[in-house]
Amino acid sequence: MAPPAIATAGAGRRFIGRWAVRGVTLAVPQGAFLLVYGPNGAGKTTLLRLMGSALAPNEGTVSLFGGEAAPARSRVALLTHADGHYDELSGRENLEQAKALGGLRGSVDEVLVRVGLHLRARDPVRQYSAGMRKRLAFARLLLKEPELALFDEPYAALDEEGHTVVDALFQELHARGTTVVVSTHQVARVSALCTHHAELCAGQLVAFGPGAPARSRQGVRAAGSLGEPSAEGP
Amino acid sequence: MMGVVTEPWPFVWSAYGATVVLIGGYLVSLWVRSRSTGGGDEQA
Amino acid sequence: MTLGMRVSGGVAVLLWVLGMAAGLTLAPPEEHMSDLVRIMFVHVPVAWAAMATFTVALVASVGWLATHRWGWDHLLDASLEVGVLLGVLLSVQGSVWGYPTWGTWWTWDPRLTSVAVMVLSFLGILALRAFVDEPEKRASWSAAASILAWGSVPFTYFCVKVMNSLHQKQTPWGAMHPDMLKALLLNTATITLLTVWMLMARYQLARTELRRELGT
Amino acid sequence: MKEVVRQCSLVVRKELLHLWRGKARLVATGAFAFANLVVFSFAGGLHGEAMRTNAAGFLWVGILLASTLALGESFRVEVQNQALEAMVLLPVHPAAIFYGKAIGNFVLLSLVGAVMVPCSIVLFDAVPVGGLGRLFLTIPFGAAAISAPGTMHAALSCRARSRDVLLPLLLFPLVVPGLVAAVQATQLCFLGDAMGEYGSWLTVLAAYCVVQWGLGGLLFSHIVEE
């Protein structure tokens, strides 16, 4: 039995005095498609960054593919709202730099076409719109051909056409056997594909299991407390 | 007699004085800070 | 502050004051050096204590980076603060010693400037700690900076050694008048004891502050 | 090890590309250094012989002040979109990132230093009696002494609050031993090296660089990890 792609045991991460995420224990088998949902400030971003070894847990453990998180970085790709591009360089140069530095397998031209940026590849990234920067971040992720791909709010800042690109991309990654974790508020778009769901609320894992989230519970919780959302971790 | 100034004692006193003032001041600050953070009676 | 700390603190301060009193009164003035030499009884021990404290900061930094146990960070916090205090005191004493000998409060004497540079290096790290909110980041970054800044300690010791041999008519330890040597050793012991106590007190303060910050 | 060198050379390539692409940054740093020299030249109220003896000190303080501009900028680019984190997750060895960026800053500071040499010769009318070649040899050593600790502290202060205050506050005391050696060596170039001390000052400077470049590589991983 292959080790789970992600296995967390009591994982917690604190920012100064506040626990953004605490006591999360779950296991995501390889090839699964996990949907993470919950209100703003529930700790979704922090959980994804823990899974992508961008953050080290203050409590508990996070292991990827059965081993330590950090050594598995070459097999994992994380897409967050900070896109990690160099504004002065062009889209193509950003990708070529990443490809050379990380020894990535993908082809720059192919991924540029896939995300629809091949016409603007030569322009410096500082001229890109938010949506185009997001597409370039997708291109970098595809370039890595990861075994585990983590997406934090993938649909944010994308236009309608962008949404369809992302949907197609999720289909393909899932079909290829890549373990995918998506944190989004657009649960409907992804629930058809997802094999597991996890619900976070105020840093606690309140639901985790196979299949799509039950329509009723997911809707009520998300719309329920419209109180001031506690500040999400960086 | 070495140096520029003949009467050494003012300088000896000011050196010792500076020592007492600085270290004493720091000790007081330690005392005040330990009381203010509620560490007053906490048995360490 | 616990009762134990208060009592030990009182003892340390008492011994320290007695030591200084001895330095001021008991030791006879050396024949060709005036009473000015009495400044040495506080200056040399403080110099040793300051450099030792910054070395404790180095050890604490390596300790934290290796084990990520909070005790090391508290020790680093304590040794930085106490070290800077002793360093500032050292500079003040140095310039007071300097005036009668050179006629100015400050001069480009490697001993004075190297001490000032050492103090400023670690003062910068105190500022760094004040400007970083995340406890883990604050600990790791100030530890790395302390390891870099520690280089100023041997540099200062080297300057003092070289300059003392060039200028100072300082009698080597042996030939010094036995009473003066006794006074110097007494003061070194009391200042070291007081420094250790200050480090322990500041350590406990750092631990309490971190508990409050983390709300545990 | 070979992997670190390969990644480091790629980071250097990116740094130089940034340097070339952002030529304005290079020119601004140079102009700022030159402005320092001009200010020193009349602020010092010196002339003739006194000016020449201080030329070396003014030159290096000018470069040091300008270096904070360049160092702060080199990490603003990394921190702005969290490109530094993206590199660490790629994964790239932290040591490769450090040496890449430090070499990039070294090149920038050496260029600025090289441009400042003729300027200081003119401004302080300090004809290098000890040999122009030696003067240009000292510049890269001094630039290396500033760029290693500078890169370390730029990485720290760029992510702390009030970073513009923190970088000079942390960097200047740290760089003093290296700077003293650089100034002494440069002074010998300007005023002539009667007793042949140039070699010994250069070795002091080289020793300082070895320590800073070594420690930087070791400690950088502790700075980038969250």
Side-chain angles (χ1 to χ4, degrees):
Chain A
M1 232 286 277
I6 307 169
T8 67
R13 171 70 193 199
R14 171 179 39 72
F15 292 105
I16 304 181
R18 197 182 68 77
W19 286 90
V21 161
R22 195 162 200 190
V24 171
T25 305
L26 53 82
V28 180
Q30 295 198 20
F33 193 110
L34 172 68
L35 162 64
V36 177
Y37 63 96
N40 293 115
K44 299 194 296 296
T45 298
T46 307
L47 181 60
L48 257 72
R49 284 166 63 83
L50 280 171
M51 290 175 173
S53 79
L55 285 178
N58 297 119
E59 241 182 29
T61 60
V62 174
S63 52
L64 300 178
F65 302 103
E68 280 284 317
R73 278 179 178 156
S74 55
R75 302 157 68 181
V76 176
L78 171 67
L79 185 130
T80 65
H81 48 277
D83 45 43
H85 302 318
Y86 293 108
D87 288 354
E88 296 309 317
L89 305 183
S90 72
R92 174 177 295 280
E93 280 165 343
N94 267 289
L95 292 181
E96 275 157 2
Q97 173 75 3
K99 178 178 170 62
L101 262 179
L104 307 183
R105 292 183 293 274
S107 114
V108 172
D109 297 317
E110 190 218 313
V111 293
L112 277 170
V113 169
R114 287 280 299 287
V115 293
L117 278 179
H118 47 287
L119 303 177
R120 296 290 303 278
R122 297 222 167 288
D123 303 339
V125 170
R126 62 180 138 77
Q127 293 171 2
Y128 282 20
S129 70
M132 293 167 68
R133 294 178 77 101
K134 180 74 121 183
R135 289 168 182 252
L136 190 62
F138 265 98
R140 176 206 291 260
L141 185 135
L142 289 174
L143 206 55
K144 192 168 189 181
E145 291 174 2
E147 293 170 42
L148 166 62
L150 303 136
F151 299 84
D152 187 14
E153 309 285 358
Y155 294 102
L158 285 179
D159 54 23
E160 193 41 45
E161 192 258 344
H163 285 181
T164 50
V165 167
V166 172
D167 290 342
L169 194 116
F170 282 160
Q171 299 275 359
E172 193 212 315
L173 281 175
H174 189 47
R176 197 193 302 169
T178 311
T179 313
V180 177
V181 177
V182 176
S183 150
T184 183
H185 291 298
Q186 315 213 354
V187 173
R189 290 195 81 95
V190 176
S191 53
L193 254 175
C194 76
T195 63
H196 292 71
H197 68 279
E199 184 184 353
L200 273 173
C201 186
Q204 307 285 331
L205 185 63
V206 290
F208 175 74
R215 173 137 307 286
S216 58
R217 275 190 49 259
Q218 168 267 331
V220 165
R221 176 109 35 205
S225 60
L226 265 183
E228 194 264 323
S230 57
E232 181 133 0
Chain B
M1 179 57 87
M2 100 176 172
V4 169
V5 173
T6 55
E7 184 37 49
W9 275 100
F11 297 101
V12 176
W13 281 113
S14 51
Y16 278 68
T19 310
V20 168
V21 164
L22 274 171
I23 293 187
Y26 184 68
L27 291 171
V28 168
S29 88
L30 276 181
W31 167 263
V32 167
R33 282 187 291 176
S34 78
R35 292 190 66 79
S36 70
T37 59
D41 44 15
E42 178 224 335
Q43 297 309 321
Chain C
M1 201 175 286
T2 65
L3 185 62
M5 281 301 284
R6 274 201 293 269
V7 168
S8 56
V11 168
V13 168
L14 192 64
L15 289 177
W16 166 51
V17 170
L18 286 179
M20 283 201 293
L24 280 173
T25 55
L26 293 184
E30 239 231 358
E31 61 287 0
H32 59 275
M33 276 168 88
S34 75
D35 288 310
L36 199 60
V37 81
R38 294 178 191 280
I39 293 182
M40 182 182 66
F41 295 145
V42 270
H43 189 60
V44 172
V46 167
W48 138 255
M51 291 191 193
T53 305
F54 285 137
T55 308
V56 167
L58 173 72
V59 169
S61 302
V62 173
W64 162 263
L65 291 179
T67 63
H68 277 268
R69 264 207 289 277
W70 283 113
W72 290 114
D73 180 51
H74 303 328
L75 184 60
L76 175 61
D77 201 1
S79 50
L80 283 175
E81 197 169 282
V82 172
V84 164
L85 163 81
L86 293 175
V88 166
L89 175 56
L90 201 58
S91 302
V92 168
Q93 290 172 342
S95 80
V96 165
W97 170 282
Y99 189 75
T101 38
W102 301 311
T104 68
W105 291 108
W106 195 266
T107 168
W108 197 90
D109 176 285
R111 285 167 294 185
L112 278 180
T113 40
S114 56
V115 167
V117 161
M118 178 172 72
V119 170
L120 283 174
S121 306
F122 288 97
L123 197 64
I125 300 173
L126 280 179
L128 173 67
R129 285 185 76 95
F131 287 145
V132 178
D133 308 326
E134 269 288 326
E136 284 81 4
K137 272 191 199 160
R138 182 174 60 211
S140 298
W141 293 3
S142 57
S146 299
I147 292 174
L148 281 181
W150 186 80
S152 63
V153 175
F155 176 71
T156 305
Y157 181 75
F158 171 74
C159 289
V160 170
K161 208 90 184 105
V162 164
M163 287 312 288
N164 278 356
S165 55
L166 288 182
H167 287 289
Q168 205 67 19
K169 294 193 296 304
Q170 195 173 357
T171 53
W173 301 120
M176 195 192 294
H177 188 288
D179 280 357
M180 286 183 60
L181 184 58
K182 267 207 271 333
L184 183 61
L185 291 180
L186 174 65
N187 272 289
T188 306
T190 56
I191 291 271
T192 306
L193 183 69
L194 187 60
T195 305
V196 166
W197 185 85
M198 286 195 286
L199 281 173
M200 282 166 55
R202 184 61 182 77
Y203 177 98
Q204 287 162 10
L205 195 62
R207 187 176 53 194
T208 321
E209 267 163 20
L210 183 73
R211 278 210 195 110
R212 190 166 39 80
E213 195 178 355
L214 299 187
T216 44
Chain D
M1 184 50 197
K2 213 172 66 58
E3 180 66 3
V4 173
V5 171
R6 187 186 69 80
Q7 288 178 338
C8 172
S9 57
L10 286 165
V11 174
V12 171
R13 194 179 64 82
K14 182 213 72 175
E15 284 295 305
L16 297 182
L17 189 61
H18 257 115
L19 211 58
W20 179 254
R21 185 74 43 91
K23 280 194 287 299
R25 175 160 73 106
L26 180 64
V27 170
T29 309
F32 183 59
F34 181 68
N36 290 328
L37 296 190
V38 170
V39 167
F40 290 144
S41 70
F42 60 76
L46 311 164
H47 38 70
E49 193 49 35
M51 180 77 86
R52 260 192 297 282
T53 50
N54 291 315
F58 289 153
L59 171 66
W60 280 108
V61 171
I63 294 175
L64 182 64
L65 291 174
S67 74
T68 51
L69 211 68
L71 293 166
E73 174 61 19
S74 94
F75 269 89
R76 186 189 59 75
V77 167
E78 301 292 343
V79 167
Q80 196 178 3
N81 303 321
Q82 297 201 343
L84 188 62
E85 181 187 81
M87 260 202 286
V88 169
L89 294 180
L90 207 49
V92 175
H93 288 277
I97 300 176
F98 170 75
Y99 287 118
K101 292 206 70 71
I103 293 171
N105 289 324
F106 163 73
V107 165
L108 171 64
L109 288 180
S110 297
L111 284 177
V112 168
V115 168
M116 285 309 113
V117 163
C119 299
S120 52
I121 290 175
V122 168
L123 273 174
F124 307 126
D125 68 62
V127 177
V129 171
L132 195 61
R134 274 191 171 175
L135 188 51
F136 278 107
L137 175 64
T138 318
I139 295 294
F141 275 87
I146 296 176
S147 56
T151 303
M152 278 293 285
H153 284 302
L156 286 182
S157 51
C158 257
R159 290 179 289 172
R161 279 183 283 117
S162 69
R163 54 174 174 269
D164 309 327
V165 172
L166 213 48
L167 179 56
L169 189 60
L170 285 168
L171 179 61
F172 288 4
L174 192 60
V175 104
V176 160
L179 209 65
V180 162
V183 168
Q184 293 297 335
T186 314
Q187 204 154 28
L188 295 177
C189 302
F190 276 130
L191 305 177
D193 181 7
M195 304 209 292
E197 290 166 358
Y198 178 80
S200 62
W201 280 115
L202 212 62
T203 35
V204 169
L205 186 51
Y208 178 82
C209 288
V210 165
V211 169
Q212 290 297 336
W213 282 77
L215 278 177
L218 284 175
L219 294 171
F220 201 70
S221 59
H222 294 286
I223 289 177
V224 289
E225 285 301 334
E226 281 280 322

